[in-house]
PDB file of all heavy atoms in Angstrom:
ATOM      1  N   LEU O 241      13.778 -11.669  28.124  1.00 97.00           N
ATOM      2  CA  LEU O 241      12.448 -11.007  28.630  1.00 97.00           C
ATOM      3  C   LEU O 241      12.709  -9.936  29.632  1.00 97.00           C
ATOM      4  O   LEU O 241      11.621  -9.568  30.195  1.00 97.00           O
ATOM      5  CB  LEU O 241      11.655 -12.207  29.066  1.00 97.00           C
ATOM      6  CG  LEU O 241      11.142 -13.186  28.149  1.00 97.00           C
ATOM      7  CD1 LEU O 241      10.618 -14.412  28.900  1.00 97.00           C
ATOM      8  CD2 LEU O 241      10.192 -12.623  27.195  1.00 97.00           C
ATOM      9  N   GLY O 242      13.923  -9.493  29.892  1.00 96.00           N
ATOM     10  CA  GLY O 242      14.089  -8.466  30.913  1.00 96.00           C
ATOM     11  C   GLY O 242      13.202  -7.245  30.702  1.00 96.00           C
ATOM     12  O   GLY O 242      12.634  -6.710  31.626  1.00 96.00           O
ATOM     13  N   ILE O 243      13.311  -6.697  29.529  1.00 97.00           N
ATOM     14  CA  ILE O 243      12.516  -5.477  29.258  1.00 97.00           C
ATOM     15  C   ILE O 243      11.031  -5.751  29.163  1.00 97.00           C
ATOM     16  O   ILE O 243      10.178  -4.963  29.707  1.00 97.00           O
ATOM     17  CB  ILE O 243      13.074  -4.891  27.887  1.00 97.00           C
ATOM     18  CG1 ILE O 243      14.408  -4.321  28.134  1.00 97.00           C
ATOM     19  CG2 ILE O 243      12.104  -3.811  27.412  1.00 97.00           C
ATOM     20  CD1 ILE O 243      15.102  -3.762  26.907  1.00 97.00           C
ATOM     21  N   ILE O 244      10.682  -6.876  28.578  1.00 98.00           N
ATOM     22  CA  ILE O 244       9.261  -7.222  28.495  1.00 98.00           C
ATOM     23  C   ILE O 244       8.563  -7.389  29.815  1.00 98.00           C
ATOM     24  O   ILE O 244       7.406  -7.041  30.035  1.00 98.00           O
ATOM     25  CB  ILE O 244       9.084  -8.572  27.620  1.00 98.00           C
ATOM     26  CG1 ILE O 244       9.444  -8.117  26.148  1.00 98.00           C
ATOM     27  CG2 ILE O 244       7.763  -9.193  27.706  1.00 98.00           C
ATOM     28  CD1 ILE O 244       9.453  -9.426  25.193  1.00 98.00           C
ATOM     29  N   ARG O 245       9.385  -7.880  30.850  1.00 98.00           N
ATOM     30  CA  ARG O 245       8.773  -8.001  32.157  1.00 98.00           C
ATOM     31  C   ARG O 245       8.432  -6.654  32.752  1.00 98.00           C
ATOM     32  O   ARG O 245       7.581  -6.579  33.606  1.00 98.00           O
ATOM     33  CB  ARG O 245       9.837  -8.710  33.146  1.00 98.00           C
ATOM     34  CG  ARG O 245      10.032 -10.253  32.806  1.00 98.00           C
ATOM     35  CD  ARG O 245      10.765 -10.920  33.939  1.00 98.00           C
ATOM     36  NE  ARG O 245      10.946 -12.347  33.715  1.00 98.00           N
ATOM     37  CZ  ARG O 245      11.852 -12.857  32.881  1.00 98.00           C
ATOM     38  NH1 ARG O 245      12.904 -12.114  32.512  1.00 98.00           N
ATOM     39  NH2 ARG O 245      11.864 -14.208  32.752  1.00 98.00           N
ATOM     40  N   ARG O 246       9.137  -5.641  32.414  1.00 97.00           N
ATOM     41  CA  ARG O 246       8.779  -4.266  32.865  1.00 97.00           C
ATOM     42  C   ARG O 246       7.724  -3.652  31.960  1.00 97.00           C
ATOM     43  O   ARG O 246       6.861  -2.947  32.472  1.00 97.00           O
ATOM     44  CB  ARG O 246      10.044  -3.335  32.733  1.00 97.00           C
ATOM     45  CG  ARG O 246      11.133  -3.665  33.732  1.00 97.00           C
ATOM     46  CD  ARG O 246      12.388  -2.925  33.488  1.00 97.00           C
ATOM     47  NE  ARG O 246      12.017  -1.489  33.378  1.00 97.00           N
ATOM     48  CZ  ARG O 246      12.499  -0.681  32.447  1.00 97.00           C
ATOM     49  NH1 ARG O 246      13.329  -1.167  31.464  1.00 97.00           N
ATOM     50  NH2 ARG O 246      12.109   0.604  32.270  1.00 97.00           N
ATOM     51  N   LEU O 247       7.803  -3.932  30.637  1.00 97.00           N
ATOM     52  CA  LEU O 247       6.885  -3.359  29.703  1.00 97.00           C
ATOM     53  C   LEU O 247       5.462  -3.741  29.938  1.00 97.00           C
ATOM     54  O   LEU O 247       4.529  -2.926  29.906  1.00 97.00           O
ATOM     55  CB  LEU O 247       7.322  -3.788  28.278  1.00 97.00           C
ATOM     56  CG  LEU O 247       6.639  -3.181  27.113  1.00 97.00           C
ATOM     57  CD1 LEU O 247       7.506  -3.184  25.855  1.00 97.00           C
ATOM     58  CD2 LEU O 247       5.257  -3.888  26.780  1.00 97.00           C
ATOM     59  N   LEU O 248       5.192  -5.040  30.148  1.00 98.00           N
ATOM     60  CA  LEU O 248       3.729  -5.491  30.146  1.00 98.00           C
ATOM     61  C   LEU O 248       2.916  -4.971  31.290  1.00 98.00           C
ATOM     62  O   LEU O 248       1.759  -4.467  30.991  1.00 98.00           O
ATOM     63  CB  LEU O 248       3.722  -6.982  30.181  1.00 98.00           C
ATOM     64  CG  LEU O 248       4.188  -7.707  28.864  1.00 98.00           C
ATOM     65  CD1 LEU O 248       4.341  -9.206  28.999  1.00 98.00           C
ATOM     66  CD2 LEU O 248       3.228  -7.346  27.693  1.00 98.00           C
ATOM     67  N   PRO O 249       3.427  -4.827  32.538  1.00 97.00           N
ATOM     68  CA  PRO O 249       2.558  -4.185  33.592  1.00 97.00           C
ATOM     69  C   PRO O 249       2.371  -2.761  33.273  1.00 97.00           C
ATOM     70  O   PRO O 249       1.270  -2.233  33.496  1.00 97.00           O
ATOM     71  CB  PRO O 249       3.524  -4.366  34.866  1.00 97.00           C
ATOM     72  CG  PRO O 249       4.337  -5.395  34.568  1.00 97.00           C
ATOM     73  CD  PRO O 249       4.672  -5.397  33.067  1.00 97.00           C
ATOM     74  N   GLN O 250       3.355  -2.018  32.723  1.00 96.00           N
ATOM     75  CA  GLN O 250       3.114  -0.617  32.379  1.00 96.00           C
ATOM     76  C   GLN O 250       2.128  -0.425  31.283  1.00 96.00           C
ATOM     77  O   GLN O 250       1.276   0.433  31.248  1.00 96.00           O
ATOM     78  CB  GLN O 250       4.469  -0.037  32.003  1.00 96.00           C
ATOM     79  CG  GLN O 250       5.499   0.137  33.081  1.00 96.00           C
ATOM     80  CD  GLN O 250       6.742   0.876  32.552  1.00 96.00           C
ATOM     81  OE1 GLN O 250       6.749   1.705  31.757  1.00 96.00           O
ATOM     82  NE2 GLN O 250       7.934   0.460  33.087  1.00 96.00           N
ATOM     83  N   ALA O 251       2.129  -1.345  30.230  1.00 97.00           N
ATOM     84  CA  ALA O 251       1.264  -1.320  29.108  1.00 97.00           C
ATOM     85  C   ALA O 251      -0.155  -1.571  29.621  1.00 97.00           C
ATOM     86  O   ALA O 251      -1.115  -0.918  29.165  1.00 97.00           O
ATOM     87  CB  ALA O 251       1.657  -2.317  28.109  1.00 97.00           C
ATOM     88  N   PHE O 252      -0.350  -2.531  30.521  1.00 97.00           N
ATOM     89  CA  PHE O 252      -1.693  -2.871  31.104  1.00 97.00           C
ATOM     90  C   PHE O 252      -2.203  -1.564  31.719  1.00 97.00           C
ATOM     91  O   PHE O 252      -3.446  -1.344  31.503  1.00 97.00           O
ATOM     92  CB  PHE O 252      -1.535  -3.932  32.055  1.00 97.00           C
ATOM     93  CG  PHE O 252      -2.846  -4.543  32.521  1.00 97.00           C
ATOM     94  CD1 PHE O 252      -3.505  -5.526  31.769  1.00 97.00           C
ATOM     95  CD2 PHE O 252      -3.513  -4.023  33.728  1.00 97.00           C
ATOM     96  CE1 PHE O 252      -4.709  -5.998  32.202  1.00 97.00           C
ATOM     97  CE2 PHE O 252      -4.754  -4.564  34.104  1.00 97.00           C
ATOM     98  CZ  PHE O 252      -5.337  -5.590  33.297  1.00 97.00           C
TER      99      PHE O 252
END
Side-chain angles (χ1 to χ4, degrees):
L241 294 168
I243 291 174
I244 289 173
R245 286 190 179 92
R246 293 175 47 227
L247 185 158
L248 289 174
Q250 292 184 35
F252 190 85

